[in-house]
């Protein structure tokens, strides 16, 4: 059974990244009526940050050269490590069961929300061997960062996710669906860019629906 893991990370309930990820998920689910679907709201139900027990497990993975995720539990020695694994283990199982991972992510301070970073920290063990899977990032940002924009070099949201996922998650493909200039909806100083935003938003919604059908 093919399975979609859908994560959202916006602190807003009414959010553009949530709208985009929902559009993809809706399309994907109508295309895969028998597919598995797991939803996790990382903002409404935040995960704890990794703690010392988690770092000890991580060190044990390296020193025992254990890249087999099914055997991490065998490395647990202390109550602190056990509670760390009680959190990370089910999250990793959820990730490993997914063929497609969909992440709704706003840009916060040029990068990703701490809520999403907390998930990445929990599920990323060194040199882990994962089966290949596809990622889709439904992204929103207040400004413009695409090629040619004056602040293009400050896009640590897309660059970070693309490079990090490629480095650790055996991704076959990471697709980005991005709505830019969202702040033009609220900020008078950006009102002249509202039409550019509307175009970017409309294209992003269409792309989300289309990719949801194709994946
Ligand atoms: C804490 C915070 C930090 C933000 N930092 C940036 C930023 O660095 N660059 C930017 O273009 N927009 C920034 N924004 C604007 C958001 O990216 C924009 O509101 C986007 O629509 C948020 O996604 P959402 O609608 O899914 O919540 C920030 C917003 C918040 C709340």
């Amino acid at each position: 059974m093919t399975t979609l893991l859908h994560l959202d990370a916006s602190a807003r309930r009414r959010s553009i990244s949530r709208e985009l990820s929902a559009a993809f998920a809706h399309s994907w689910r109508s295309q895969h009526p028998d597919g598995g679907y797991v939803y996790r709201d990382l903002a409404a139900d935040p995960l704890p940050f990794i703690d010392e027990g988690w770092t000890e497990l991580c060190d044990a993975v390296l020193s025992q050269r254990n890249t087999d995720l099914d055997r991490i539990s065998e490395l647990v020695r202390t109550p602190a490590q056990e509670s760390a694994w009680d959190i990370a283990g089910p999250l990793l199982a959820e990730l490993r069961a997914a063929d497609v991972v969909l992440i709704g992510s706003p840009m916060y301070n040029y990068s990703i929300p701490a809520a999403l970073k907390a998930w990445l920290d929990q599920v990323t063990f060194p040199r882990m061997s994962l089966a290949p899977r596809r990622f889709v990032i439904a992204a929103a940002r207040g400004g413009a960062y695409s090629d040619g924009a004056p602040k293009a070099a400050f896009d640590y949201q897309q660059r970070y996710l693309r490079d990090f996922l490629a480095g650790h998650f055996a991704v076959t493909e990471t697709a980005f669906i991005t709505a830019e200039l969202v702040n033009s909806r609220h900020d008078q100083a950006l009102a002249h860019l509202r039409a550019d935003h509307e175009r970017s938003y409309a294209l992003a919604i269409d792309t989300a629906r289309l990719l949801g059908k194709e994946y």
Side-chain angles (χ1 to χ4, degrees):
M1 179 174 70
T2 183
T3 296
L4 173 67
L5 171 61
H6 178 179
L7 310 173
D8 272 321
S10 173
R12 290 194 179 97
R13 298 292 328 146
R14 284 168 58 89
S15 120
I16 305 294
S17 62
R18 285 177 188 274
E19 261 186 68
L20 296 175
S21 71
F24 178 98
H26 183 75
S27 255
W28 188 92
R29 295 181 77 189
S30 28
Q31 209 62 22
H32 301 275
D34 300 323
Y37 175 70
V38 177
Y39 181 71
R40 190 174 271 284
D41 191 330
L42 299 170
D45 299 306
L47 296 170
F49 294 144
I50 54 163
D51 59 8
E52 189 159 25
W54 191 99
T55 63
E56 288 165 357
L57 267 183
C58 178
D59 293 344
V61 165
L62 286 172
S63 60
Q64 308 283 316
R65 295 173 183 269
N66 179 1
T67 55
D68 181 352
L69 294 171
D70 288 322
R71 301 192 59 199
I72 292 185
S73 58
E74 294 169 22
L75 303 172
V76 170
R77 298 279 179 271
T78 67
Q81 292 169 11
E82 191 172 348
S83 4
W85 185 242
D86 282 348
I87 297 163
L91 294 171
L92 252 176
E94 217 167 69
L95 167 68
R96 295 173 75 196
D99 304 278
V100 180
V101 181
L102 165 67
I103 303 178
S105 171
M107 174 185 278
Y108 285 170
N109 300 322
Y110 297 139
S111 182
I112 62 168
L116 175 55
K117 182 63 164 50
W119 179 81
L120 287 170
D121 288 348
Q122 287 284 358
V123 299
T124 308
F125 281 85
R127 304 199 193 115
M128 58 185 177
S129 42
L130 284 173
R133 59 178 49 72
R134 293 196 276 189
F135 279 76
V136 179
I137 313 296
R141 59 275 283 276
Y145 299 85
S146 38
D147 285 349
K151 286 171 98 176
F154 291 80
D155 181 1
Y156 300 104
Q157 178 194 29
Q158 176 160 330
R159 199 179 337 151
Y160 170 71
L161 286 170
R162 189 192 58 219
D163 292 350
F164 187 80
L165 295 174
H168 294 276
F169 283 75
V171 293
T172 48
E173 190 180 341
T174 303
F176 285 88
I177 304 165
T178 305
E180 297 211 303
L181 290 165
V182 177
N183 281 3
S184 66
R185 294 184 181 207
H186 318 287
D187 184 349
Q188 280 308 312
L190 297 179
H192 62 291
L193 297 170
R194 181 71 192 246
D196 290 339
H197 161 63
E198 293 298 344
R199 268 192 295 277
S200 164
Y201 171 73
L203 180 64
I205 287 283
D206 285 351
T207 308
R209 290 188 183 127
L210 196 72
L211 277 189
K213 281 205 181 75
E214 286 175 3
Y215 268 54

